[in-house]
Structure formats: C-alpha cells, structure tokens
Amino acid sequence: MISRKNASISKFIIHKVGNKFNDTKNAFSEKLVDFDEASYDLMLPFLLRPFSSVVQSYRFNHHANIALNEINSYSAQIFNDDEAFIEVSKHIVTHLYEQSTSANIKTGDVLVVMFEGIEFREITTNAIGIFKIENKVNFFQTYLENNSYDVLVQKGISSKKVDKGCLILNQSDTEGNIILSVDNNSYDANYWLNQFLNIKYADDANNHTQQYIELCKEFSTEILKTTYGAQQQNTFLAKTIDFFKENEVVNVERFKDEIFEEDKHKTLFDDYKKTFEDEQNLIIRNQFDVAESVVNKEKKKIKTDIKLDTNIQIKLDIDAPEASSEYLERGYDEDKKMHYYKVFFNVEN
C-alpha cells in the first residue's frame, strides 16, 4: 500500500509489444514523453491509484540465481544508471514479447515509468513502473468541417484503470526489492507474474495471513458446504474472521480448538490443509502474525448468503458469528420432502 501524495513522474516512455505467436512485431520509441499539464495531471493518478489499495508485496524469484531474473537485472540498471532508461526500457518490452507464447496474450502499449517520491511504509523512495495497456475503449470525437460539426469514433486508453502494472521500489529488505503488482485482466496471471516478472509473495505477515484465509475459504467450500450445508460454511467463515480480528498472532492449534467443537472437524481440517499445501506447493506456518489490512480486505470479499432453490435468500452477518447457530435452525420436513430453515427473532427491522 503506497501513498502518492508527493509522487511525480521523472521519466516516461511508450513502446508497443507484439505477440510472437501470431507474428506481430514490437515498435519502440526513441524519446521520452514530454507531457502537457493536462495529460500529466491525468496520467499520474491513473498509473498509481491501483497500488493505493494493494496490501501484499512480492519479491523477485529465480530457480538458480536471483541475479539472473531479467526484470531484476533491468531495474537495477535503470536505478544505477540514469542514462540507461530508454535502452533498458526496450529490453523490458523485448522480454515481455518473449513470454507471449499463446494467441490469448494480447498486444498493447507498454509504459515504462520512473516515479519519484513514492511513500511506502513511512519510507520515501523512487520506483520503476511497468504497465501494459491491453484494451482500448471507443469514444466519440467531434470536429469542425465546412462550418459544421461532425462526429467520429476513435479508440483510446480508458483513464479508469490499468490492465496490468507493477511497481518496483528502489527499496529492499532481506528478500530483495519490494514489488507491487496489479492485474485487472487476469485471463493469464501466469504470463504476467510468473513468466514476465518471475516474482513470488514476500515471506511476511501479509502473505501468511492471506494463505491461511484462502485455506479456510477453500475448506469451507469444498468440505463444509458439500458435507454440512451453507449454514455451517458461513458460520465457519464468520468465526474465522472473528478469530483473526481478535488475535494479533494465529496459532493453528488454538485456532482449531476455538473454531471447531468436534474432533472430527479438526481432522477434516488437518487433512484438507495437507491437500491444500500440496496443491499450492507451499507450507503454512503453525504460528504467524496477523496482517489486519489483509483481514479487512478479505472480509469484504466473503459472501455469507444462503441461496435456496425456492427463490429465497438468507443473508448472515459476518460480524455476528454466533447468530447463525443460535437463531437459525436447519431441518427436513418429511411431509413436503424438503429441507427447511427456521429463523428466530424478536422484531423485524
């Protein structure tokens, strides 16, 4: 999560990337963009706004040596050599082009940007931004001809959101440079994150919290909902979020003791955790610090509606984890041969 209140653009160049799969070529600029005031004032927030809400960061990755990561190498050249920006930006586009091994990967504009005054965790630094614009939108352009106005349709870049982008901060920790990434056209996330950038999540509280909540969400869907129904699923999710809100540190054994009333449910969770770790190729720590910003973000994504085939929906409050078990009762009516929910309440709001 960054602050852009003191940020500025010091260098900006646009290239076009093709697709080697369908034999479209790259096209390179030789000069930096010289903004007028209006376009600059629109461009700066357009590029940086998506990173204001990003809570997880990445680090460069490589199977052999981190120095062999292409974008790591290119960004180091730009940070260390002020005159290298234009030439290295071309290498970045060429590297992106080499990853386009599928017809699904779109051509587009590539913006390489040097930002100054980026604030991240109370540190002010410069950063390299790499953005790929894949989709153009139609807009009407009016023009004057022979004393009359006419209209035509043109295509341009929408100023609402970037398609793909990353910020490589000139700031590092024990794992290397801090990297933020966004992808609003995630039709092929592997192409952007793994092949082009070759980055991995940082080994920090944000990542540990994210992984554990993802585990709980998958467990609730694959095991609890399938076996016990949506009420049990939503109660579990509400209790999970409540546990994370109430504790600064998560201990897995304590989590299971507080969330599950029966040992069989703990066993189901342990078994699914092993499966999840194998499928995701990761190991979830038995104890870790909670990242509150991740919890708040994930809480907004969780849906606690129970949708029934009789066109009735029951919405549970994720902030009241005990309400479902206390005031909602699930049963089966032998006469109608149908399941039912019984809801207890005092007054209607």
Side-chain angles (χ1 to χ4, degrees):
M1 186 178 296
I2 67 161
S3 171
R4 53 185 172 88
K5 63 181 180 180
N6 296 318
S8 62
I9 295 173
S10 59
K11 292 184 177 68
F12 185 105
I13 196 165
I14 303 173
H15 305 296
K16 289 189 178 291
V17 65
N19 184 318
K20 62 191 291 187
F21 188 87
N22 56 31
D23 203 32
T24 52
K25 303 299 183 182
N26 297 333
F28 298 109
S29 297
E30 299 298 333
K31 294 182 180 179
L32 300 177
V33 172
D34 185 15
F35 287 102
D36 59 46
E37 184 177 356
S39 57
Y40 180 89
D41 289 345
L42 190 62
M43 182 63 73
L44 181 62
F46 165 64
L47 296 179
L48 290 181
R49 190 184 303 114
F51 300 101
S52 299
S53 59
V54 169
V55 296
Q56 285 187 271
S57 63
Y58 296 84
R59 303 295 182 272
F60 285 119
N61 185 40
H62 196 275
H63 68 278
N65 187 331
I66 198 66
L68 299 177
N69 180 297
E70 288 87 346
I71 302 302
N72 182 29
S73 175
Y74 294 146
S75 60
Q77 291 179 54
I78 292 176
F79 284 134
N80 295 327
D81 184 357
D82 194 56
E83 301 299 319
F85 182 83
I86 294 177
E87 196 60 32
V88 175
S89 72
K90 297 177 185 178
H91 297 329
I92 290 172
V93 174
T94 300
H95 175 59
L96 181 61
Y97 175 81
E98 290 300 320
Q99 313 314 311
S100 59
T101 56
S102 165
N104 293 328
I105 295 174
K106 300 175 182 178
T107 61
D109 298 330
V110 179
L111 319 178
V112 184
V113 188
M114 177 64 82
F115 295 101
E116 309 292 337
I118 299 291
E119 296 179 24
F120 179 79
R121 295 177 183 170
E122 300 181 351
I123 296 173
T124 301
T125 186
N126 57 340
I128 298 167
I130 306 171
F131 304 88
K132 185 184 178 191
I133 308 300
E134 298 179 324
N135 296 315
K136 301 289 182 71
V137 297
N138 293 327
F139 65 92
F140 293 108
Q141 178 67 52
T142 59
Y143 63 97
L144 181 64
E145 185 176 13
N146 297 327
N147 296 320
S148 294
Y149 282 98
D150 206 341
V151 64
L152 57 82
V153 175
Q154 294 181 322
K155 283 186 175 292
I157 299 172
S158 170
S159 61
K160 292 184 178 180
K161 65 179 181 180
V162 299
D163 292 318
K164 286 175 166 56
C166 74
L167 272 185
I168 303 164
L169 304 186
N170 193 14
Q171 182 70 34
S172 61
D173 56 18
T174 56
E175 295 184 84
N177 283 84
I178 298 166
I179 306 157
L180 308 176
S181 181
V182 293
D183 188 352
N184 288 308
N185 290 341
S186 54
Y187 61 90
D188 190 353
N190 185 58
Y191 154 72
W192 181 254
L193 292 177
N194 297 338
Q195 294 173 261
F196 171 57
L197 295 173
N198 193 3
I199 54 179
K200 62 180 180 179
Y201 279 121
D203 184 20
D204 59 11
N206 289 328
N207 185 36
H208 302 150
T209 303
Q210 180 76 41
Q211 288 177 347
Y212 203 83
I213 292 178
E214 286 297 326
L215 163 66
C216 292
K217 287 163 63 177
E218 293 292 324
F219 173 74
S220 75
T221 301
E222 299 293 329
I223 305 299
L224 293 182
K225 184 177 181 180
T226 302
T227 308
Y228 301 103
Q231 181 185 4
Q232 290 288 343
Q233 175 196 25
N234 292 326
T235 299
F236 168 76
L237 289 175
K239 286 183 176 180
T240 296
I241 294 299
D242 189 59
F243 183 90
F244 273 81
K245 298 289 285 185
E246 294 295 324
N247 293 276
E248 295 182 354
V249 176
V250 167
N251 177 280
V252 172
E253 293 304 317
R254 182 164 169 248
F255 171 83
K256 291 188 295 184
D257 288 340
E258 289 199 18
I259 300 299
F260 300 114
E261 296 180 359
E262 299 183 43
D263 288 341
K264 65 177 181 179
H265 293 152
K266 296 180 184 179
T267 302
L268 285 173
F269 185 79
D270 286 336
D271 291 343
Y272 190 82
K273 179 173 174 288
K274 293 176 184 177
T275 301
F276 182 84
E277 289 174 324
D278 290 341
E279 290 178 349
Q280 301 295 322
N281 192 28
L282 55 83
I283 297 176
I284 293 176
R285 294 191 179 188
N286 290 324
Q287 184 165 302
F288 56 88
D289 294 334
V290 172
E292 184 179 358
S293 58
V294 174
V295 176
N296 291 335
K297 190 168 186 177
E298 289 303 307
K299 175 185 171 182
K300 295 176 182 177
K301 297 179 183 178
I302 294 175
K303 306 298 183 184
T304 56
D305 295 356
I306 301 175
K307 297 182 180 181
L308 308 177
D309 58 1
T310 51
N311 299 319
I312 294 175
Q313 294 185 30
I314 302 172
K315 183 176 178 62
L316 305 178
D317 189 345
I318 197 169
D319 290 319
E322 303 300 330
S324 173
S325 55
E326 289 185 22
Y327 306 120
L328 189 65
E329 182 181 309
R330 191 175 191 270
Y332 185 80
D333 189 296
E334 291 290 349
D335 294 333
K336 292 188 174 183
K337 305 299 181 186
M338 296 174 70
H339 297 282
Y340 66 82
Y341 279 106
K342 184 187 292 184
V343 181
F344 297 91
F345 65 96
N346 293 312
V347 294
E348 293 183 356
N349 292 327

